[in-house]
Every structure is written in structure tokens, then in C-alpha cells.
Amino acid sequence: MKLFRILSRNIRDSFKSVFRNFSLSLASISCITITLVVVAIAIALSYNVNGFTRKVEKDVTMVVFLNEDISEERFKEIGDEIRKIDNVGKKESDVVGKTKMQVRDEMMKSSETYASILDKYDTRDTNFLKDTYHIKVEDITKMSKTAKTIKKEIKEVDTVKYGEGMIEKLVTIFDFVRKATYVVVIALILVTAFLISNTIKITIFSRKREIDIMRLVGASNINIKIPFIFEGLFLGIMGSIIPIILATYGYSALYNYFDGELFGNFVTLVKPNPFIFNIAGILLLIGMVVGMFGSWRAVRKHLKI
Amino acid sequence: MELITIKHASKTYKTGVTAIHDLSISFKKGEFVFLIGATGCGKSTLIKMLYREERPTSGQIFIGGIDVAKITNRKVYKIRRKLGVVFQDFKLLPKATVYENVAFALEIFGVPTDEIHNKVIKVLDLVGLKNKAKQYPHQLSGGEQQRVAIARAIVNGPKILICDEPTGNLDEKTSMGIMNVLEAINKLGTTVLVVTHDTEIVNKLKKRVVVLDEGRILKEYAEGEYRHEAI
């Protein structure tokens, strides 16, 4: 009961202090707001860059060309054998087989030139094209290894094409881009933490007198720290309100404005739900933790008497 | 019964200045004592050591049986809760009302709200500020602000009230008013130590007087013995 009373008084007093020291509180809140807006933009960018790279990686397809002299039954069996190979996608759509006749039909449909050339090769025996399997893999970095395994384990495989050289480069670049966005976001969060905690430090420095009086009337260190920590918490929460509103409404508006796609349909934006709620949660959490930590750090300094 | 006992206390600051030299003295429960002396005589250092703002370089200081010199920074609050301290500059929270300033000393200990209310009103009545509870420090005169500080110092019911130049910023009439309040508190059983250089007041009150000079006790007068002299 006593603890509850102390705690509820601390919360009340911290709230009062925010308003009694309004100009300094406003400085802290503005600092939190501005830095969190930057963090929110960085997180949104990083999420979208990540989403884009993952999507491109997912679309990468490996094509297996089979020898000419296999039967249709054997063609189907090979499909099952490919599915069993490690790293090959396990969904039905991840391994799509096309017989040479299907390939011929598709090519004929795509251009008249092809149509005139391929017209006479109308039986499986005369068709010089190859039966193929289009494969999506689980881990794009292991693509070359998977290609080699397919070639080795299925003797009817003629060649495996997957854009050798290109894929490795793409993977390296995407990996770098993703790591870079993580580094930028983390660095920004650290800078934010530093900035916010310093602003709060100034706010509290101006209240050294208050801390001295608290000590004088017999407040223990914990008695002194708790209201300031709550105050930091409130400042953090108040500072994160605008960034949260901007992030949630702003991102949704942006998404709707571009219809979820940029540059035609080349880049698909991350859907607002649940993304904006995640971002709101992250911003609130950063505001709260950094606010409390900043206050705690600042008060601690004054308690070393 | 001795409430405060100082045994061979010395204090040398980091700057090399020795403020207190091998000082021994004791104060009884319920006493009213004036510590007087010229500026720089060590009287402020002496009482700072009592409320453990400073530690003696050597010697012991017992308050109610506890050696204050041995208390760590972290535990200072334990001794502070047994003392009330009043300063020349009042040290009030400028953005809190008179009531809040006094209640503050009780709130941090989790005292129930009703009890806080009763106690605060009682001490404000004692110092004559019951009708100014809702005002802010800047709306009060110096004397009234000092009364608020006294009310805050005694609201916890400390056994000892230490006053460091409580009338330093006040005129003679107001100063006497403050002294009357301190006397009233003393009559309720609280030991009162007052550091001052205002010999007029000391002369009028006829209390026990300790005269300090260069960190040593120059003279001591029992209650009623002091006669005005230049310091």
C-alpha cells in the first residue's frame, strides 16, 4: 500500500514537473520528436529496401534443360526427383515442368517468326527444343550448389541455367544494401538515444536544486531517481506521439498515393498493415526507453555527492 | 542525555584549508544552542558535518548513537530523516506551493494523504502560515519563506533542528519572529542548533552559546550567561 502510494505520487509529480518546467520539457519533447521522425523514415526505407530485395530474390528462377531423348513419363519422374533435392522450393509452384511441346506452343504464340519456324516441328520426336523445369530455390546464395547437385544426380539433365555470375553479384549487392540499412537504422537509434539523453540531462541539470532539496529532506537515491525516471518516460511518450502519427498516417497515405507500387510495378511497397503498427510500437519503445535511460543517467550524475 | 557528541573532529578541505581543529563538544536532548563566530570560524563546516554534507577528516560525530562520519553517501538519507535543516537561502521549490513544499518532505516516505494533510496544516499553524498554504514562495516575504523552510524541516518530527544562518537575509524584527518560532519548536522537545553571527538575537534569547574561532571552541556560555560581546 505504501509502495503503491509512493509510486502513484511519483507518477503524479512527474506529470506535474513536465508542465511546471514546460519550456525545457518542450525542448526535450521536440528533440525526441525530430529524431524519432528521422528514425521512422529510416525504418520505413530499410523495411522497403529489404522487402524489395527479398522479392527480387524470390523471383530468381533456375531453368533445367533435359536431354532430347526422354519419354513423357520419365519427364514427370524427373520433376519429383528435383523436388526432393535440398534447397529446391517445396511448393507446387516452385518446380514447374514444361515439355518441349509446351515450350514450342509458348514460343509460337510469342512471335510470328517463331511460329513460322516451329510450325513444322509438330511432334515430340521432331521437336528439337528441350523439356525444361523452372525451379525456385529457398536460399538464393546456395543456387550454384543446387544447380550442380541437380546436374550430378539426374543424368538426363543437359544444362542448368540460372544467370551464373549475375546472381552472385545480385546476392552480394543485396546483402550489402540490407546490412547497410541495418547499420544506418541502428546508428540513428544510437544517435537519437544520445541526443535525447543529453537534452534530458540539460532539463534535469536545471533542477539540481530540486535534487539537493530532496536529499536534504531525507530522500534516498531511489526516492529521487524514480520521479525523474517517470518524467523521462512521459517526455519519451509525448515526444513519440507526432512521429507515430506521421509514421502511421503518413505511410498509409504514401502507400495509397502510389497504389503500393513504385516505378511501374518494379518496387512493391510493404503493406501498411501490420507494418505501421510495428513502426509505431518501435518508436514508442525507443521514446520510452531512451527517455527513462536519459533521465536515469542525468540524475545519477547529481547523486554523486 | 547527550543527543549529539563530537569527539576530536577535524576537517581539512582538499584545498588544504583546515576549518575545524580537534573539536570536541556535546549537545543534550532538548537544548537550544547558538553557534557563533566570525566569518570563516568553521561554524558552517561544523554543522555541515552534522547533517553529513561534509565528512570529518578525523574524529567521530555521534547523533543518537550513530557515527555520522561513517555513513556512506548512499545511506546519508538515514541520518537526514532524523534531522531538520534550515538554510539562509531557504531552499524552497519555487514552482511548488507552500503546502506542497512542506508536504514534499512527507510524500517521499509514503505517508498517507490524510496524515500528510493534518501534519502540514499543524506545522503551518505553528509557524503562522496556515492561511498562505496555497501561495507560491515568490509571493511571500523573506521571513515567511524562512517559516516555510522551518515548517518543512520539522514536519517529520525530527529530534534535531539545525539552522544555518536562518536570519542572515532578514531584518531584525523578522529575525526575532523566526527566533520565536524556533523557541516554540524547542519547547515542544526538539533540540535546536542555530548558527548565526547576529549577536543581538543571541543576546536577547539567553540560550547556551558556543563561540568558535579558527575551527576551535573559543568560549562557551551556559544558558543565561551570555552577555553581548563583539565577535
Side-chain angles (χ1 to χ4, degrees), chain A residues 2 5-6 9 12-13 16 20-21 209-210 212-221 223 225 303-305, chain B residues 73-74 76-77 80-81 87 89 91-93 95-96 100 104-105 107-113 116 152 156:
Chain A
K2 189 175 162 187
R5 235 181 351 243
I6 294 177
R9 274 176 196 155
R12 180 202 65 195
D13 289 345
K16 266 192 203 166
R20 278 184 172 162
N21 302 284
R209 187 184 169 84
E210 203 173 311
D212 287 346
I213 295 171
M214 286 170 101
R215 275 183 72 84
L216 207 67
V217 297
S220 64
N221 287 357
N223 283 146
K225 276 183 204 164
L303 291 179
K304 286 177 194 160
I305 296 174
Chain B
N73 279 346
R74 203 176 275 275
V76 164
Y77 71 92
R80 298 268 168 95
R81 289 181 188 186
F87 298 90
D89 62 353
K91 292 201 194 299
L92 299 175
L93 297 170
K95 288 172 183 169
E100 286 168 335
F104 176 65
E107 283 188 340
I108 49 175
F109 309 129
V111 178
T113 312
I116 291 180
R152 182 185 62 195
N156 265 327

Side-chain angles (χ1 to χ4, degrees), chain A residues 49-114:
Chain A
V49 168
N50 269 335
F52 169 68
T53 56
R54 301 252 180 249
K55 185 176 162 271
V56 171
E57 283 180 0
K58 258 191 201 162
D59 286 345
V60 171
T61 310
M62 181 192 294
V63 185
V64 175
F65 295 91
L66 301 177
N67 290 333
E68 289 155 40
D69 54 352
I70 56 164
S71 63
E72 275 195 54
E73 291 73 40
R74 180 60 193 143
F75 174 75
K76 279 176 192 156
E77 281 171 23
I78 289 172
D80 295 334
E81 284 172 26
I82 289 174
R83 278 194 179 86
K84 281 178 198 152
I85 288 170
D86 195 35
N87 195 34
V88 170
K90 297 290 171 268
K91 281 186 286 179
E92 193 63 32
S93 59
D94 286 341
V95 179
V96 180
K98 280 180 191 166
T99 62
K100 54 170 107 179
M101 295 313 283
Q102 284 170 323
V103 177
R104 173 180 170 269
D105 292 345
E106 276 178 18
M107 286 178 76
M108 284 174 72
K109 267 180 212 162
S110 71
S111 99
E112 281 185 19
T113 323
Y114 285 155

